[in-house]
């Protein structure tokens, strides 16, 4: 499926192109953010970025070796850098697992989780493993990570990336993430990087414009709530659950967090990272969300020149 939009066109033409491909999505985007900058950045080519794997090398040394391709730092991740290439096959450090090709906003959830050595961590939807390997490096390969994914077809790439990055503490499973709700209070931290409608990934692949359907968001929202509830059951008192998506759809973001806050004793924490953000929705299409939802991190593409992203940090008292 080939979908093309001219990112150099003026904003009115960009809007018309999106509307011609998927009118339903276009009308939804207008409700979420009608600004010209939003539409320009939604189709602007995505910057490439990498994360240095500190299980295999020191950040400063890798930066020195790759200074010819590094164009800047990712402000919210010490190991993250923007680069001027997407041809990672020719970079030995990539083949050796010293660096990992990872979108900059995708680095946020493990940073927010802030895992430590000897923890027991559950990554409930782990494939292809970018965030799992990042968590492992913060844990310094000490402790245990259960790296789960429901899609058996994605398990091989998950295992491959774990091995390439030198992760020794991961146990790979292929369960429906909701299964882990039965393991009450076993984990110190849980990541729910939930399956979503990929609205925030349009600039990475324009086919997401054509594929998006509002009806899919209803089912995804139900699944996301169930996964988050399972994760909350599985985490110990005092533990952290990080919820993240690469969509901008409130039904899959603020509404999911609102659900867990209304139906459990979960507490939500502020996310104090050095980045620009868009205010979370406290009301959308007649649905009112609890005030605490304002502590979520909502990132639109124009905020930091990244994908669209959403993160919430929850703690069990």
């Amino acid at each position: 499926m080939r979908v093309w939009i001219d990112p150099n066109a003026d904003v009115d033409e960009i809007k018309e192109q999106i509307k011609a491909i998927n009118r339903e999505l276009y009308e939804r985007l207008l409700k979420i953010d009608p600004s010209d900058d939003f539409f320009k950045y939604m189709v602007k080519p995505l910057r490439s970025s990498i994360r240095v794997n500190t299980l295999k090398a020191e950040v400063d040394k890798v930066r020195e070796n790759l200074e010819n391709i590094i164009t800047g730092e990712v402000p919210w991740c010490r190991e993250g850098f923007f680069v001027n290439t997407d041809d990672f096959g020719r970079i030995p450090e990539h083949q050796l697992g010293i660096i990992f090709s990872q979108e900059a906003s995708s680095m946020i959830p493990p940073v927010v989780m802030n895992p430590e050595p000897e923890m027991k961590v559950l990554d409930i939807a782990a494939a292809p493993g970018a965030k799992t390997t990042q968590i492992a490096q913060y844990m310094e390969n000490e402790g245990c990570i259960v790296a789960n994914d429901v899609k058996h077809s994605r398990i091989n790439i998950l295992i491959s990336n774990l091995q390439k990055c030198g992760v020794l503490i991961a146990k790979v499973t292929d369960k429906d993430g909701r299964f882990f709700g039965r393991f009450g209070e076993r984990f110190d931290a849980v990541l729910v990087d939930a399956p979503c409608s990929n609205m925030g990934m349009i600039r990475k692949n324009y086919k997401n414009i054509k594929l998006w359907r509002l009806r899919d968001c209803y089912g995804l929202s139900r699944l996301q709530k169930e996964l988050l509830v399972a994760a909350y059951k599985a985490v110990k008192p005092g533990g952290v659950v990080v919820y993240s998506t690469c969509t901008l759809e409130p039904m899959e973001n603020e509404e999911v967090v609102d659900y867990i806050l209304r139906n459990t004793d979960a507490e939500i924490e502020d996310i104090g990272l050095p980045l620009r953000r868009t205010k979370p929705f406290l009301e959308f299409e007649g649905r009112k969300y609890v005030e605490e939802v304002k502590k979520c991190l909502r990132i639109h593409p124009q905020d930091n020149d990244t994908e669209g992203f959403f993160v919430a940090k929850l703690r069990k008292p």
Side-chain angles (χ1 to χ4, degrees):
M1 178 191 300
R2 179 166 175 79
V3 178
W4 173 249
I5 287 182
D6 181 5
N8 298 313
D10 64 58
V11 68
D12 290 331
E13 187 174 343
I14 288 170
K15 289 180 179 180
E16 287 301 318
Q17 290 180 70
I18 295 174
K19 183 196 252 184
I21 297 168
N22 189 334
R23 187 184 186 94
E24 184 180 42
L25 172 63
Y26 170 73
E27 292 175 352
R28 197 68 172 178
L29 293 175
L30 284 175
K31 291 182 178 181
I32 291 170
D33 188 338
S35 70
D36 286 353
D37 278 348
F38 176 70
F39 278 90
K40 287 178 183 176
Y41 275 83
M42 282 293 280
V43 300
K44 180 181 177 183
L46 187 64
R47 292 188 291 175
S48 292
S49 51
I50 59 168
R51 172 177 47 82
V52 176
N53 175 18
T54 53
L55 294 177
K56 288 195 168 186
E58 296 179 0
V59 173
D60 291 342
K61 183 64 174 176
V62 176
R63 180 174 187 168
E64 180 181 331
N65 290 343
L66 298 179
E67 61 181 356
N68 60 316
I69 65 167
I70 289 176
T71 59
E73 300 176 353
V74 175
W76 50 87
C77 180
R78 191 182 82 85
E79 306 84 15
F81 298 94
F82 293 106
V83 294
N84 61 8
T85 181
D86 56 7
D87 185 9
F88 295 103
R90 297 188 178 187
I91 302 174
E93 286 86 352
H94 184 263
Q95 300 304 312
L96 294 169
I98 293 171
I99 62 171
F100 198 102
S101 172
Q102 184 175 355
E103 204 281 320
S105 60
S106 173
M107 301 175 194
I108 294 172
V111 172
V112 168
M113 178 185 282
N114 192 28
E116 299 176 353
E118 302 301 337
M119 278 187 170
K120 295 183 181 69
V121 176
L122 170 62
D123 188 348
I124 216 163
K131 298 177 187 68
T132 319
T133 56
Q134 188 177 354
I135 290 169
Q137 74 181 63
Y138 294 161
M139 293 173 65
E140 300 174 8
N141 250 346
E142 297 179 11
C144 179
I145 302 172
V146 176
N148 179 73
D149 204 275
V150 68
K151 292 186 177 180
H152 188 76
S153 60
R154 290 161 58 90
I155 291 295
N156 284 344
I157 186 64
L158 171 60
I159 292 172
S160 175
N161 282 328
L162 292 170
Q163 291 176 338
K164 186 166 74 170
C165 291
V167 176
L168 305 176
I169 58 172
K171 313 297 181 184
V172 176
T173 58
D174 59 350
K175 301 285 188 182
D176 184 314
R178 293 169 287 193
F179 167 84
F180 291 93
R182 69 186 66 184
F183 296 100
E185 301 183 349
R186 297 286 184 90
F187 296 93
D188 298 294
V190 183
L191 173 61
V192 184
D193 187 48
C196 69
S197 60
N198 297 330
M199 186 188 285
M201 297 179 67
I202 286 172
R203 63 185 297 190
K204 184 176 183 180
N205 194 326
Y206 294 156
K207 75 176 184 181
N208 288 309
I209 298 174
K210 193 171 184 67
L211 292 173
W212 189 90
R213 295 290 184 273
L214 181 59
R215 65 172 181 266
D216 294 336
C217 299
Y218 292 98
L220 285 165
S221 182
R222 287 192 297 271
L223 173 60
Q224 291 153 354
K225 290 168 187 173
E226 292 168 0
L227 288 171
L228 190 51
V229 167
Y232 193 71
K233 289 178 180 177
V235 78
K236 297 176 182 178
V240 169
V241 176
V242 176
Y243 176 76
S244 61
T245 74
C246 52
T247 186
L248 301 173
E249 170 56 51
M251 196 188 309
E252 301 177 67
N253 292 336
E254 287 89 349
E255 183 174 318
V256 176
V257 176
D258 174 81
Y259 179 85
I260 197 77
L261 293 176
R262 289 182 187 273
N263 290 281
T264 70
D265 59 354
E267 298 173 351
I268 188 167
E269 298 186 357
D270 288 310
I271 298 175
L273 294 179
L275 45 69
R276 298 183 183 90
R277 60 192 74 196
T278 295
K279 287 183 179 180
F281 286 97
L282 295 181
E283 182 177 355
F284 190 80
E285 291 193 322
R287 294 186 181 92
K288 292 186 177 181
Y289 308 131
V290 295
E291 185 76 13
E292 291 290 278
V293 167
K294 68 184 180 182
K295 294 181 179 179
C296 295
L297 179 61
R298 169 177 276 271
I299 300 174
H300 288 194
Q302 73 271 26
D303 291 337
N304 306 283
D305 195 5
T306 65
E307 290 180 349
F309 216 77
F310 182 90
V311 187
K313 182 179 183 180
L314 302 163
R315 191 174 296 276
K316 179 181 281 188

